[in-house]
Amino acid sequence: MTNIAQFKVKPGTTILEGKAIPQGFGLHGGQTQKYNNDLERLIRQWIRSNL
């Protein structure tokens, strides 16, 4: 993997959470996914490249 960023979410941000659906061969779904539609509520912590 390359270019991985980590973020913190500002307090009070609305986060939607649910189960991922299957999306084809090798992508079985069922894991928890989270969604935030307001990128201004994210605080970037660090970025790593070329892992």
Side-chain angles (χ1 to χ4, degrees):
M1 289 186 175
T2 60
N3 301 326
I4 297 173
Q6 180 174 337
F7 297 87
K8 283 190 177 181
V9 180
K10 292 180 181 177
T13 302
T14 299
I15 301 290
L16 304 176
E17 184 174 332
K19 297 289 182 185
I21 63 170
Q23 296 183 20
F25 182 75
L27 302 172
H28 304 290
Q31 297 298 316
T32 301
Q33 61 183 1
K34 298 182 181 185
Y35 177 75
N36 166 31
N37 67 346
D38 185 358
L39 298 180
E40 298 296 322
R41 306 284 305 167
L42 299 177
I43 305 165
R44 183 174 286 193
Q45 298 298 300
W46 55 266
I47 297 177
R48 292 186 84 172
S49 296
N50 300 325
L51 293 176

